[in-house]
């Protein structure tokens, strides 16, 4: 009996750990469950083509100091499976030094949690904007530069940290968390679309 209780406790503990999302969220929760926790969706949109509900909120249970707002994406079948944090704008940063400092600070935290990035791409000036004071213009221009790193959590899903450009001396940081069933959700949606297209031909 003790052995059985130990196994059950272990399974429950494992599931609790594996269901934890970022910023105090829980993978698999519904919008209703989120709102019961006191989270207010300032904007809520439904994308029936992709079986998604998107909630925009300015605050979650555990907030990061640089946040401006969050996007939470809920799968019809799997609940919460994607969280995106958009930081407040970085301004007056002509060379990108402040932005890189913020990016490296949070990247270091992610490395401690998830180990080395699965992929990273940190370079600018490949096209058009290549002067020292054109850092953010380059990041904003497709094909010119990227400051991004991807991590693969053991429990599944992915985490990406990215520095984005807006204008000269102005940018922001973006953190994207994909839940353990996000790829399964995308696969099912794509398969359904293929089936619909096939029936239509």
């Amino acid at each position: 009996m003790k052995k059985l209780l130990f196994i059950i406790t272990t399974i429950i503990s494992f599931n609790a750990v594996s269901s934890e999302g970022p910023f105090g969220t829980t993978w698999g929760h519904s919008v209703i469950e989120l709102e019961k926790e006191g989270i207010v969706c300032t904007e809520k949109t439904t994308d029936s083509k992709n079986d998604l509900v998107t909630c925009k909120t300015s605050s979650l249970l555990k907030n990061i100091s640089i946040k401006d707002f969050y996007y939470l994406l809920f799968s019809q079948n799997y609940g919460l499976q994607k969280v995106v944090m958009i930081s407040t704008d970085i301004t007056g940063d002509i060379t990108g030094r402040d932005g890189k400092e913020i990016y490296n600070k949070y990247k270091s935290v992610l490395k401690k949690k998830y180990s080395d990035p699965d992929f990273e791409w940190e370079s600018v000036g490949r096209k058009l904007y290549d002067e020292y004071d054109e850092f953010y213009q380059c990041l904003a221009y497709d094909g010119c530069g990227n400051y991004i790193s991807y991590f693969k959590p053991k429990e599944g899903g992915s985490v990406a940290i990215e520095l984005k450009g807006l204008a000269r001396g102005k940018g922001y940081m973006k953190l994207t968390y994909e839940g353990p069933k996000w790829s399964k959700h995308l696969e099912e949606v794509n398969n359904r679309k293929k089936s619909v297209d096939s029936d239509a031909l």
Side-chain angles (χ1 to χ4, degrees):
M1 185 65 178
K2 286 183 179 179
K3 189 175 181 180
L4 180 61
L5 286 172
F6 173 76
I7 292 170
I8 292 171
T9 304
T10 303
I11 290 170
I12 291 171
S13 298
F14 176 77
N15 286 338
V17 171
S18 64
S19 65
E20 289 179 1
F23 315 115
T25 61
T26 302
W27 295 129
H29 268 192
S30 66
V31 178
I32 293 173
E33 287 174 309
L34 182 86
E35 291 174 334
K36 281 181 179 178
E37 293 177 335
I39 306 304
V40 178
C41 295
T42 53
E43 292 178 24
K44 195 188 297 182
T45 57
T46 300
D47 180 357
S48 56
K49 288 184 179 179
N50 294 297
D51 293 338
L52 288 172
V53 172
T54 301
C55 162
K56 181 181 179 181
T57 182
S58 59
S59 182
L60 289 173
L61 296 178
K62 295 179 181 179
N63 290 301
I64 187 171
S65 61
I66 61 170
K67 61 85 183 174
D68 188 2
F69 58 86
Y70 306 91
Y71 285 115
L72 295 90
L73 281 70
F74 297 82
S75 162
Q76 181 179 313
N77 294 327
Y78 304 112
L80 180 64
Q81 288 300 319
K82 190 168 185 176
V83 177
V84 180
M85 186 285 305
I86 303 296
S87 78
T88 53
D89 288 346
I90 303 163
T91 58
D93 185 23
I94 302 302
T95 63
R97 189 182 74 171
D98 294 343
K100 291 176 190 175
E101 194 173 292
I102 294 169
Y103 170 88
N104 287 323
K105 172 186 172 182
Y106 287 97
K107 179 182 174 182
S108 177
V109 174
L110 293 174
K111 282 179 72 173
K112 287 180 181 177
K113 188 170 184 178
Y114 303 114
S115 97
D116 289 336
D118 191 59
F119 171 81
E120 54 189 344
W121 189 358
E122 298 165 359
S123 64
V124 292
R126 292 189 304 278
K127 189 188 294 185
L128 191 61
Y129 297 105
D130 55 6
E131 298 297 324
Y132 80 98
D133 59 349
E134 295 178 325
F135 179 75
Y136 290 107
Q137 293 100 308
C138 183
L139 290 184
Y141 189 85
D142 189 34
C144 182
N146 290 284
Y147 253 73
I148 187 167
S149 293
Y150 292 95
F151 298 82
K152 289 287 185 183
K154 291 179 181 178
E155 60 270 22
S158 67
V159 181
I161 181 170
E162 184 175 11
L163 202 53
K164 305 283 285 184
L166 292 171
R168 188 174 187 269
K170 186 177 181 181
Y172 65 95
M173 199 179 81
K174 178 181 177 183
L175 275 169
T176 303
Y177 291 79
E178 294 181 350
K181 292 185 178 179
W182 176 250
S183 58
K184 189 172 184 181
H185 166 80
L186 293 179
E187 183 181 358
E188 290 177 358
V189 169
N190 288 333
N191 286 339
R192 189 197 69 206
K193 287 179 179 179
K194 286 178 183 177
S195 178
V196 170
D197 288 345
S198 178
D199 288 342
L201 295 175

